[in-house]
Amino acid sequence: MIINVDKIRNRIKTATLGSAKTPELVAVTKNRSEEEIAALIDANQRIFGENRVQEAQAHWAEKKREIKNIQLHLIGPLQSNKVKDAVALFDAIETLDRPSLIDALSAECKKQGKNPVFFIQVNIGQEEQKSGVMPEDLPDLLAYAASKGLKIDGLMCIPPAHEPAALYFALLKKLADRHGLEGRSMGMSGDFEKAIALGATHVRIGSALFGE
Ligand SMILES: *Cc1c(COP(=O)(O)O)cnc(C)c1O
């Protein structure tokens, strides 16, 4: 088994421009084996991303108790009936996309005394089948979060699959700037360098960490 995490860290550093802060590497471990996850932990990786609450519990619930400073990001859609488990497990939830989820999360965070980082997922290519709030509805959703006392730390996007991503990364950056949001989670294995050049603060990388 080959783990490319050092190579990826170097590529992230190289792609980071001038005085910009080096973006966080969120190592995506969905569908990965225990062996692969252990190798990343051995390589001192501490920030991880998962798509599904249940798989994340299986991968991380015990490790988070045993290993210091593990930070877990939810990067897949969140159903309301999983909010309780998600708040218990995740340090960051990147896929906020609707008012009902804001209601459920703010209530559950109060109940559990938790304060996770929240990103709103923007459907940046306005694709019918994709989750995320439409760009034109972002201001209302941000206002709603504020009215519920939920602090939003940034935006996240997954650009359309078969188009050049740069335009969409630039648009996410612009939206974040317009609303004074510092976090910009964008860029995956195939396009993270471009995302960094366009202002990503978090890159979510899975397949490029493994193999070859
Ligand atoms: C799987 C996944 C990633 C990682 O994708 P790779 O192309 O394997 O790097 C990033 N973000 C989200 C939302 C994902 O579901």
Side-chain angles (χ1 to χ4, degrees):
M1 183 193 32
I2 298 170
I3 294 285
N4 301 322
V5 67
D6 284 327
K7 219 186 274 176
I8 295 295
R9 284 178 185 137
N10 282 331
R11 283 173 60 186
I12 289 173
K13 267 204 201 97
T14 305
T16 304
L17 302 174
S19 60
K21 197 171 159 230
T22 307
E24 304 275 15
L25 167 58
V26 179
V28 178
T29 49
K30 65 169 186 247
N31 304 322
R32 292 293 162 183
S33 66
E34 285 298 323
E35 196 190 5
E36 288 169 315
I37 291 172
L40 285 174
I41 292 170
D42 275 350
N44 254 328
Q45 181 63 28
R46 290 295 179 270
I47 308 176
F48 297 93
E50 289 278 353
N51 269 52
R52 295 201 306 273
V53 176
Q54 235 165 344
E55 187 184 11
Q57 284 172 324
H59 279 163
W60 295 106
E62 202 178 307
K63 291 183 193 70
K64 281 195 78 177
R65 287 192 289 271
E66 289 169 354
I67 304 163
K68 258 201 190 158
N69 302 329
I70 297 268
Q71 302 259 335
L72 200 55
H73 287 230
L74 178 62
I75 59 170
L78 178 57
Q79 293 160 340
S80 294
N81 64 352
K82 296 276 168 61
V83 160
K84 186 177 170 187
D85 290 340
V87 168
L89 184 64
F90 288 95
D91 305 282
I93 295 175
E94 298 198 13
T95 50
L96 248 176
D97 64 353
R98 57 193 188 275
S100 62
L101 203 49
I102 289 174
D103 289 340
L105 284 166
S106 62
E108 193 58 40
C109 286
K110 267 182 211 133
K111 206 190 254 175
Q112 296 190 28
K114 288 261 178 122
N115 224 343
V117 165
F118 286 114
F119 284 14
I120 287 179
Q121 181 175 359
V122 180
N123 188 345
I124 201 76
Q126 306 187 46
E127 296 170 282
E128 209 136 279
Q129 76 291 0
K130 268 241 176 89
S131 39
V133 65
M134 289 294 174
E136 68 266 26
D137 297 328
L138 177 63
D140 283 351
L141 194 63
L142 283 167
Y144 190 75
S147 77
K148 293 283 165 174
L150 204 76
K151 182 174 175 289
I152 303 298
D153 302 281
L155 302 178
M156 175 270 215
C157 75
I158 308 169
H162 303 293
E163 291 176 47
L167 193 75
Y168 298 103
F169 293 151
L171 181 57
L172 195 80
K173 164 89 159 63
K174 196 165 124 186
L175 289 173
D177 287 348
R178 181 180 300 162
H179 295 287
L181 300 168
E182 272 184 20
R184 299 176 292 266
S185 175
M186 56 190 198
M188 319 200 306
S189 289
D191 54 20
F192 68 89
E193 281 140 325
K194 193 166 286 165
I196 292 169
L198 291 164
T201 60
H202 296 71
V203 289
R204 310 177 308 270
I205 300 179
S207 44
L209 292 172
F210 307 94
E212 301 283 319

